Amino acid sequence: MARYFIYLSYDGTAYHGWQVQPNGSSVQAELQRALSILLRKDVEVVGAGRTDAGVHARLMVAHFDVEDPLDGQQMTYRLNRILPRDIAVSRVEEVESSLHARFSATSRTYRYYIHTRKDPFLRAYSCETHYDLDFDAMNEAAAFLLTQDDFASFCKVGADVKTTLCKVTHAQWHQTSPSTWYFEITANRFLRNMVRAVVGTLFDVGRHRVSYDEFKRIIETRTRTAAGESMPGHALFLEDIHYNGIT
């Protein structure tokens, strides 16, 4: 069996997330449907992660196995002909059979976009807020995330996870214009709903509703109810996934 990685991007607006759902459309289901048509048999794909409903990906990686060798360029072209317009494949390439789209990934990067002035062209992919946010305080609190390893306080209640341990290597707010910002966070793995819960709690810091010391205590309690509200999913993007030895 040969293993292939698919590199794709998608607008998550119309989907109930990446993972196949019993009563809703998903990106994984659309990709499996397209592959099954082309290969004329049922094909299962395994993704590098599970984005939630409405969340987008500039880069998602998935793998599938097939007996006969494929032409990656032809497969990319044919997939894009079948897939809906909100899902795009950038390349398909053969990899070592030991590589796994999810378990071989060494890091993932998300960005959460916000704008502080009404803009009709940003509303679908950025969260509009009119709070007077203290971004210096928010970045100070975000830096504390790099010193921690248990993020249970930001994990969705009832999530099926064996561990809430994560290693965050980057967490910072970046300004791109007088009224636009994004929060970028990189970690070896993420818990369900983690990024949106982190951003919501940092908003409380930025509004001076939560102090730096209180932010630290929220993490140390390891209780989801101690943290802030989850932010809307439409402004969250899976930006990048890294694998050792693969560019």
Side-chain angles (χ1 to χ4, degrees), residues 8-198:
L8 66 149
S9 58
Y10 54 84
D11 180 332
T13 303
Y15 300 100
H16 288 73
W18 160 263
Q19 191 175 15
V20 171
Q21 303 290 324
N23 297 306
S25 58
S26 72
V27 179
Q28 183 184 27
E30 289 291 341
L31 188 57
Q32 290 181 165
R33 180 188 65 85
L35 281 169
S36 297
I37 291 172
L38 293 176
L39 300 177
R40 299 181 181 179
K41 63 179 181 179
D42 291 340
V43 177
E44 181 180 359
V45 299
V46 178
R50 299 176 181 178
T51 55
D52 292 334
V55 176
H56 319 289
R58 296 194 200 277
L59 174 65
M60 169 62 84
V61 180
H63 79 248
F64 69 98
D65 298 323
V66 65
E67 293 180 1
D68 300 321
L70 302 173
D71 183 319
Q73 286 187 327
Q74 276 294 317
M75 203 65 188
T76 300
Y77 171 78
R78 296 171 70 190
L79 279 170
N80 281 324
R81 296 274 291 179
I82 296 175
L83 286 166
R85 296 177 66 181
D86 50 11
I87 303 175
V89 173
S90 58
R91 72 183 194 270
V92 177
E93 63 181 21
E94 186 174 3
V95 296
E96 295 292 332
S97 60
S98 59
L99 285 174
H100 192 285
R102 180 181 176 189
F103 298 125
S104 298
T106 56
S107 70
R108 298 154 174 85
T109 297
Y110 281 88
R111 286 183 181 179
Y112 195 90
Y113 293 84
I114 69 168
H115 55 287
T116 58
R117 184 176 61 197
K118 186 176 181 180
D119 188 326
F121 302 109
L122 293 178
R123 62 187 176 85
Y125 304 106
S126 177
C127 180
E128 183 176 327
T129 179
H130 298 284
Y131 293 126
D132 184 16
L133 297 172
D134 183 343
F135 286 97
D136 289 336
M138 293 161 74
N139 272 331
E140 182 183 14
F144 181 70
L145 298 171
L146 277 64
T147 70
Q148 300 301 295
D149 56 14
D150 194 326
F151 293 90
S153 295
F154 303 118
C155 183
K156 185 173 182 177
V157 175
D160 182 20
V161 293
K162 295 180 179 179
T163 176
T164 53
L165 300 181
C166 307
K167 179 58 180 176
V168 175
T169 55
H170 176 77
Q172 187 174 5
W173 287 92
H174 300 266
Q175 186 173 18
T176 54
S177 81
S179 60
T180 57
W181 298 73
Y182 67 83
F183 176 66
E184 184 174 86
I185 183 168
T186 301
N188 63 331
R189 63 188 292 265
F190 286 91
L191 307 172
R192 188 173 180 187
N193 207 229
M194 175 175 163
V195 180
R196 288 190 286 151
V198 166

